[in-house]
Structure formats: C-alpha cells, structure tokens
Amino acid sequence: MTNNFVFEKDLSAKKIHVVREFNAPIEKVWKAWTDPDLLEKWWGPKPWVAKTKSMDFRVGGAWLYFMEGPEGQVHWSHVKFTAIEEGSRFAADAVFSDENGNSTPGAPVGHWDNQFIAIGSKTKVVVNLSFDDEATIKMMVEMGFEGGFTMGLNQLEELLATA
C-alpha cells in the first residue's frame, strides 16, 4: 500500500514538512486528530501512550496531555489551538509543560499547521511544523522526532483501517 509519505526537514529554515495520505474519508481522519479518545489511540510512538487530562478544541482552547512510557515515565505537553477551519485545517502551539499546562522553563515551542485535503475517498494530511530557533529543530531531530512521528502516523493508519 502506498501512502505517499513525505518527511522533509530544513534546519536552516527551522521547518519540518510532512505529507501523508490515508485510505479514509476526510471526516474520519479529522476526527482522529481532534477527538481525544481517538488521539490517545495513535499519538506517540509505541510503547508510549498518550493520556488526555483535558481537551478544549476551539481557538484559544488547549489539549493538555501526557505521554506515559513503559516504565511509568511521564512527559506533559500543552497544545494551544491558534486557528481552526472546521474539517480542513487547524494550527496549534505545542510545548512541554507541567500537569497544569504551565510551560516548562526554557521549553521550546513547536508551531503546528495541519491541513486535511480530501482526495476522493482518501485524505491527504499536510503538516508544517516550525520552530523559533535552529537549536530547537536540531534538538527535535536528534531526539528522534522523525521516527516517533512516523510511528504515530503508522498507528493512525492502523486505527483508521479498523475504526
């Protein structure tokens, strides 16, 4: 099966560009990205799992969640929604945080812009992720963002095939 996967990083421009096609209608893919019960089933690389504390999907609202590792490690993240075009696009700023959504001091912010495009019965998702400085994108790359995000997208594909 082809999914027309693209993962490009431009360190000097501080940007990561990801394109992935899913064999599912746009409504189903949109819901998987915006419903916390579904997000928890695919967001993050196994064996880590995402667990939502709160989700307020509206401009100015936020998703507060943590990733839990196999040995009980916990890493919180706060995702603030900055733009929403229902069913086709949303943007958000994501940062590591504490359990109350307070940014971890010195934590970098990732600016996500996610587009959903219907192609017949399939959906193309285009993710443009940018950072404020080159050191942050280098750190994300070194932490294995490409492998982890790809694993999450593979899990999304599996979820869409069964849901």
Side-chain angles (χ1 to χ4, degrees):
M1 173 181 11
T2 178
N3 54 34
N4 294 320
F5 181 61
V6 174
F7 189 101
E8 300 170 334
K9 51 189 174 271
D10 184 336
L11 299 182
S12 62
K14 303 170 284 193
K15 294 182 178 181
I16 294 174
H17 175 75
V18 180
V19 178
R20 177 81 177 245
E21 286 184 15
F22 296 95
N23 190 21
I26 193 168
E27 297 83 8
K28 195 172 181 179
V29 177
W30 175 262
K31 187 172 182 181
W33 279 75
T34 59
D35 179 324
D37 292 334
L38 295 174
L39 266 169
E40 291 180 353
K41 294 179 179 174
W42 70 269
W43 189 258
K46 288 182 181 176
W48 291 75
V49 294
K51 297 188 178 181
T52 298
K53 179 176 181 182
S54 62
M55 169 70 111
D56 181 9
F57 188 68
R58 62 180 174 85
V59 175
W63 178 35
L64 178 60
Y65 73 98
F66 63 90
M67 297 295 301
E68 184 174 44
E71 297 173 18
Q73 316 94 307
V74 171
H75 298 284
W76 287 90
S77 291
H78 184 261
V79 180
K80 183 177 181 179
F81 301 107
T82 58
I84 297 174
E85 296 170 23
E86 188 64 33
S88 64
R89 176 183 169 265
F90 70 89
D93 290 339
V95 65
F96 295 118
S97 71
D98 65 17
E99 68 276 9
N100 296 312
N102 300 307
S103 300
T104 302
V109 178
H111 309 283
W112 293 72
D113 192 323
N114 309 312
Q115 296 179 313
F116 301 79
I117 303 160
I119 304 173
S121 61
K122 296 182 176 185
T123 303
K124 178 170 32 175
V125 177
V126 179
V127 175
N128 288 302
L129 177 59
S130 62
F131 301 93
D132 296 329
D133 58 68
E134 194 171 335
T136 300
I137 189 172
K138 283 183 179 175
M139 178 189 72
M140 294 297 286
V141 169
E142 289 170 4
M143 287 174 56
F145 177 78
E146 180 175 358
F149 192 55
T150 300
M151 193 179 298
L153 294 175
N154 290 341
Q155 293 167 178
L156 173 57
E157 187 170 278
E158 293 170 14
L159 174 67
L160 292 169
T162 59

